[in-house]
Amino acid sequence: GENVEQHPSTLSVQEGDSAVIKCTYSDSASNYFPWYKQELGKRPQLIIDIRSNVGEKKDQRIAVTLNKTAKHFSLHITETQPEDSAVYFCAASPYGNKLVFGAGTILRVKS
Amino acid sequence: EADIYQTPRYLVIGTGKKITLECSQTMGHDKMYWYQQDPGMELHLIHYSYGVNSTEKGDLSSESTVSRIRTEHFPLTLESARPSHTSQYLCASRTGAGGYTFGSGTRLTVV
């Protein structure tokens, strides 16, 4: 089955700097890669996703890149703000199958 | 508003009690999932369902059961609560191969 590894487990950045979180997956059949943000005491929320037929996707300050050959994908947050502080989870799945989540990254943006 | 709803939001219960955590979604999603999560930590899949009368066990061994008699309803039952069951329980749903929508969770404390 699919296995997703996520790094780093914690990340501290200064406000305005960029943050990068990386995930690797094992199942070459996986073709859907979402990212979730979970603020303290709240539910995980989908912030961006990418499918295997696309190499990069951007939404304002957030971007996700996918390297199918190396089986890894990354979340990039530019111009970080204090409200970006949260736990971020990556996930992967083959078409329609259940998502397999990474262990999460605690992002702290220091002002 | 179309969403996924979990009740109760918080529950404190004694050891040995039987409890049912409720999850309902009004989005017409066919796939539903239950996750266990300690605050800010990994998401562990407990059970999932791909449709009415379809249920499967997830990766986390758990003394719990689920049922899916109606598309919109996916309750989780603990037959005999133990302190080790103290955690947050998140319900999620999806349609097709898209991302999950999570409920707000039930925070369970077993004393």
Side-chain angles (χ1 to χ4, degrees):
Chain A
E2 177 63 276
N3 182 53
V4 177
E5 294 191 359
Q6 183 171 347
H7 299 280
S9 56
T10 61
L11 178 60
S12 290
V13 299
Q14 281 295 132
E15 182 177 358
D17 287 351
S18 295
V20 181
I21 303 170
K22 299 181 180 180
C23 290
T24 60
Y25 62 99
S26 61
D27 189 347
S28 56
S30 285
N31 58 4
Y32 177 65
F33 308 92
W35 285 88
Y36 288 82
K37 175 184 180 183
Q38 187 177 26
E39 296 177 62
L40 189 63
K42 296 192 175 180
R43 67 174 98 177
Q45 298 264 22
L46 178 68
I47 56 172
I48 195 167
D49 56 9
I50 191 169
R51 298 189 186 275
S52 59
N53 59 344
V54 175
E56 182 176 2
K57 184 176 179 181
K58 293 181 77 171
D59 183 2
Q60 298 183 350
R61 296 186 296 108
I62 294 173
V64 57
T65 58
L66 171 65
N67 183 327
K68 285 193 298 181
T69 303
K71 296 203 196 76
H72 66 71
F73 56 112
S74 300
L75 178 71
H76 305 255
I77 305 174
T78 59
E79 300 173 24
T80 53
Q81 300 167 5
E83 52 264 39
D84 294 328
S85 295
V87 181
Y88 291 81
F89 294 94
C90 64
S93 81
Y95 182 85
N97 285 6
K98 60 186 185 295
L99 291 175
V100 176
F101 286 89
T105 296
I106 299 171
L107 174 64
R108 295 191 184 95
V109 180
K110 297 176 286 187
S111 55
Chain B
E1 180 183 343
D3 203 348
I4 182 165
Y5 301 94
Q6 290 187 244
T7 57
R9 190 77 173 85
Y10 300 93
L11 180 61
V12 180
I13 199 162
T15 298
K17 297 292 185 183
K18 177 179 179 179
I19 57 171
T20 296
L21 308 184
E22 300 289 346
C23 176
S24 294
Q25 49 95 5
T26 57
M27 297 174 285
H29 288 173
D30 49 356
K31 299 174 182 176
M32 297 187 74
Y33 309 83
W34 274 105
Y35 285 86
Q36 183 177 340
Q37 183 191 37
D38 292 326
M41 304 292 284
E42 280 187 77
L43 293 153
H44 297 285
L45 181 64
I46 311 171
H47 294 280
Y48 60 101
S49 167
Y50 285 170
V52 171
N53 295 325
S54 154
T55 61
E56 301 286 344
K57 288 192 174 184
D59 307 315
L60 180 66
S61 176
S62 170
E63 299 88 8
S64 60
T65 58
V66 291
S67 63
R68 191 86 184 277
I69 298 172
R70 303 195 318 266
T71 299
E72 63 271 21
H73 195 213
F74 190 42
L76 174 76
T77 298
L78 285 172
E79 293 293 333
S80 180
R82 299 208 303 256
S84 60
H85 292 137
T86 294
S87 189
Q88 175 169 246
Y89 292 83
L90 288 165
C91 184
S93 70
R94 83 194 294 200
T95 185
Y100 289 3
T101 299
F102 282 91
S104 295
T106 293
R107 196 172 296 277
L108 174 65
T109 302
V110 183
V111 297

